[in-house]
Amino acid sequence: MIETIPAIDIIGGHCVRLSQGDYDTKTDYGESPADMAVRFEKLGFRKLHVVDLDGARAGKVINIKALKEITSRTRLIVDFGGGIKRDENLDSVFKAGANAVSIGSIAVNDPEKVLSWIAKYGAERFILSADVRNGIVRTGAWTEDSGMTINDLLSKYWNYGIRHVLCTDISRDGMLCGSNVDLYKSIMKQYPDCKLIASGGIGSLQDIEKLDEAGIPAVVIGKAIYEGRIKLEDLAKRINKDNTSDIN
């Protein structure tokens, strides 16, 4: 059964969602990230995907306080991304209680740095985050074309133990129009042992079912929850009762 992972995107200390990565489309839900995380945990979710959107745009971690509140108030397995560029950024995120970090732009722009982190902390503490538009990975908070495909990026890190990959189809992110199943199937065909997390476009339980039928291991869900398109109680019923984590 596919694993469902709720998402919290943070701007200014609040839960927000964007459409297609455009900050001008921000919807602020006025929710405290920690309060939302507690709600997720009470419903039975075990993992949480957190993105510091302020940090992603600034190139440094901004919402570390929100992360600390989440990890101090819950026992969720948290992965955190956004603005992690330097050693001190990474150290602060782990010290704040994150179990893993999502690395995006820096994985493209500074692979030597990322490989030094993998050597120090272990590959299991990292999720390779690939934001894709028209088949090409974007960096710099989705503003820059890397010229690399997701398979190009994966090939750089696979032999160093990276197996967790979060792939977002930017064109569908926040649009509630359904997931790019073909994209994720192509990744799994190339890397069948990949612990792939699909992201972008989920608007209904049926969209999750399609990914499940395609054999995709996990999916991140955000806007559909906040907009009420998927009720949390219904989503919680789908949780794999045998759900175990290899990020700890």
Side-chain angles (χ1 to χ4, degrees):
M1 180 182 290
I2 192 169
E3 182 177 18
T4 54
I5 305 170
I8 291 178
D9 290 358
I10 306 172
I11 291 180
H14 293 172
C15 296
V16 305
R17 296 303 294 179
L18 309 180
S19 295
Q20 296 183 325
D22 184 350
Y23 283 74
D24 291 335
T25 66
K26 179 187 75 173
T27 300
D28 188 330
Y29 295 98
E31 292 267 9
S32 155
D35 288 346
M36 197 70 196
V38 168
R39 186 180 176 195
F40 288 144
E41 185 177 42
K42 286 181 178 178
L43 285 167
F45 293 95
R46 296 190 63 239
K47 290 184 182 179
L48 179 66
H49 176 62
V50 179
V51 180
D52 180 355
L53 287 175
D54 289 317
R57 185 157 55 174
K60 60 181 180 179
V61 177
I62 300 290
N63 285 291
I64 197 74
K65 180 181 177 181
L67 173 61
K68 289 178 180 177
E69 290 176 350
I70 290 169
T71 59
S72 65
R73 291 179 59 188
T74 75
R75 299 180 65 184
L76 291 165
I77 298 165
V78 178
D79 80 82
F80 182 93
I84 300 172
K85 306 294 184 186
R86 296 178 292 275
D87 293 351
E88 55 267 30
N89 300 145
L90 184 63
D91 290 340
S92 68
V93 168
F94 281 141
K95 287 177 181 176
N99 301 86
V101 297
S102 297
I103 48 172
S105 296
I106 194 168
V108 174
N109 298 326
D110 195 352
E112 289 187 5
K113 171 67 72 176
V114 172
L115 292 178
S116 74
W117 291 347
I118 291 172
K120 181 177 181 179
Y121 293 99
E124 70 278 0
R125 302 295 299 274
F126 296 91
I127 298 173
L128 187 63
S129 181
D131 302 319
V132 178
R133 189 192 296 275
N134 298 324
I136 301 299
V137 175
R138 306 283 294 187
T139 60
W142 300 357
T143 62
E144 300 168 10
D145 187 330
S146 73
M148 300 173 63
T149 68
I150 175 64
N151 285 340
D152 292 336
L153 184 59
L154 252 173
S155 68
K156 286 181 174 291
Y157 292 99
W158 193 258
N159 290 337
Y160 294 94
I162 290 292
R163 294 294 181 270
H164 294 91
V165 179
L166 172 68
C167 183
T168 301
D169 183 338
I170 297 170
S171 69
R172 301 189 183 220
D173 188 72
M175 304 307 291
L176 305 170
C177 59
S179 184
N180 189 343
V181 178
D182 289 340
L183 170 64
Y184 304 121
K185 286 171 67 175
S186 70
I187 296 170
M188 293 302 298
K189 183 178 180 180
Q190 184 77 14
Y191 295 93
D193 296 328
C194 182
K195 297 176 182 180
L196 179 63
I197 307 166
S199 173
I202 298 297
S204 68
L205 290 175
Q206 289 72 26
D207 293 332
I208 301 172
E209 294 293 344
K210 289 177 183 178
L211 288 168
D212 196 5
E213 291 168 3
I216 309 306
V219 59
V220 162
I221 306 168
K223 191 170 185 177
I225 293 173
Y226 296 96
E227 293 289 331
R229 295 281 292 269
I230 299 178
K231 294 187 181 300
L232 271 174
E233 293 74 11
D234 293 337
L235 187 59
K237 293 176 184 177
R238 294 197 81 266
I239 297 175
N240 187 352
K241 293 180 180 179
D242 296 323
N243 183 22
T244 58
S245 173
D246 50 6
I247 299 179
N248 49 47

